[in-house]
Amino acid sequence: MNISTYPDQEILKIAFGFKKHLKDKYLRTANNVAPLDEAFIYRFKALFYEVQSQHKTHASEEKTQRYLLALEDLTEQARAYLIIFRFYLQKAFPYDSKLAEQYGYVEMERIKQDHAEMRNLLEKTISIIRERNKYLAAANCPECTLEGILTLSNKISEVHDEMIQEEQRLLELNNNYKQNIKELFSLMEQIHIYASDNLKDEPEKLKYFILPATNYVH
């Protein structure tokens, strides 16, 4: 039997049936031995409930999507400020063409979907503002533009950090879920093998503890 041939939802459905009948149709025979003892049943049920709980959220990207939408909106606001900033930067330093190159249309489009790059650019911009503030002020760069850049830089960094943490949380959750469902399936195989060997003459019991052939899974 191969776990990959059973959809996760089907594994949980079969496991639910096993769990339901393990007690009221306990696998007792004249030669009842481990591993299908009380401790095994307790372990199986506990693992089933854990996997069932994890299954509801293990692959959820809803929260991450909200972060992406928020970053998209903040990035658009930042780009608008940076276009204005570029104008005054060129005005303040007309002979330093390289200074404004990083704010060109091509560069702005390139980092539009790269939030880490946008963070880097905003941090560089804040350094420029702090180091050359008096020159920007002399070029009449609006204070609200500079404040807007600082505010958005902080906000983008905050949201981006939260998104990375959420992605890491989901990764760990998914890995834990995969490990647990694999272990649950292994216990189900043990039940299947044990029942097949010990309940051959009790078909009414046996039917509750058999993994269905994969071509009948639906």
Side-chain angles (χ1 to χ4, degrees):
M1 289 166 283
N2 190 329
I3 187 173
S4 64
T5 60
Y6 293 86
D8 286 7
Q9 190 61 43
E10 189 66 24
I11 290 175
L12 284 171
K13 180 180 177 182
I14 299 166
F16 175 78
F18 283 14
K19 176 193 71 69
K20 180 180 178 182
H21 298 293
L22 273 173
K23 204 67 176 175
D24 59 352
K25 300 184 186 299
Y26 184 45
L27 298 179
R28 286 195 182 277
T29 66
N31 300 314
N32 187 41
V33 293
L36 302 187
D37 53 12
E38 291 287 350
F40 178 94
I41 293 174
Y42 177 82
R43 180 183 172 209
F44 180 84
K45 289 186 175 182
L47 190 58
F48 168 77
Y49 287 124
E50 184 174 359
V51 172
Q52 185 183 51
S53 175
Q54 290 176 324
H55 180 70
K56 297 175 181 178
T57 58
H58 87 279
S60 174
E61 295 181 353
E62 182 180 341
K63 197 170 183 180
T64 300
Q65 187 60 32
R66 289 202 299 269
Y67 283 125
L68 286 171
L69 290 174
L71 284 171
E72 183 179 331
D73 179 59
L74 292 169
T75 296
E76 282 301 314
Q77 294 180 52
R79 287 173 73 236
Y81 276 114
L82 291 175
I83 289 171
I84 297 171
F85 179 73
R86 180 175 187 265
F87 170 79
Y88 288 100
L89 193 62
Q90 289 176 314
K91 187 177 178 182
F93 306 98
Y95 303 109
D96 191 349
S97 59
K98 289 185 178 180
L99 195 58
E101 280 181 3
Q102 58 193 328
Y103 303 101
Y105 176 80
V106 174
E107 285 300 303
M108 288 290 97
E109 286 298 306
R110 185 181 68 81
I111 66 173
K112 187 175 181 180
Q113 301 300 327
D114 192 332
H115 304 114
E117 281 295 313
M118 175 58 81
R119 286 183 66 170
N120 289 336
L121 180 58
L122 287 168
E123 288 169 5
K124 289 179 183 177
T125 302
I126 292 171
S127 293
I128 292 172
I129 291 171
R130 288 171 176 164
E131 293 169 4
R132 312 194 184 197
N133 188 268
K134 64 179 181 180
Y135 300 103
L136 290 167
N140 297 314
C141 182
E143 189 65 30
C144 62
T145 297
L146 305 181
E147 291 176 355
I149 290 172
L150 178 59
T151 298
L152 285 167
S153 177
N154 291 335
K155 188 62 178 176
I156 287 174
S157 294
E158 177 185 336
V159 175
H160 190 232
D161 284 341
E162 288 178 3
M163 186 181 75
I164 291 173
Q165 291 174 9
E166 176 63 14
E167 289 174 338
Q168 183 61 37
R169 186 189 73 83
L170 280 176
L171 178 61
E172 292 174 358
L173 183 61
N174 285 340
N175 288 339
N176 188 248
Y177 169 80
K178 290 175 183 177
Q179 180 179 340
N180 283 340
I181 199 168
K182 185 176 179 180
E183 182 180 352
L184 178 66
F185 188 76
S186 176
L187 297 184
M188 291 165 67
E189 286 183 305
Q190 291 181 52
I191 293 172
H192 171 92
I193 293 169
Y194 183 87
S196 297
D197 290 341
N198 293 277
L199 300 176
K200 296 175 184 177
D201 300 325
E202 300 183 73
E204 285 305 308
K205 276 189 177 183
L206 179 61
K207 67 182 182 182
Y208 294 112
F209 305 108
I210 294 295
L211 286 167
T214 55
N215 54 314
Y216 291 106
V217 172
H218 60 278

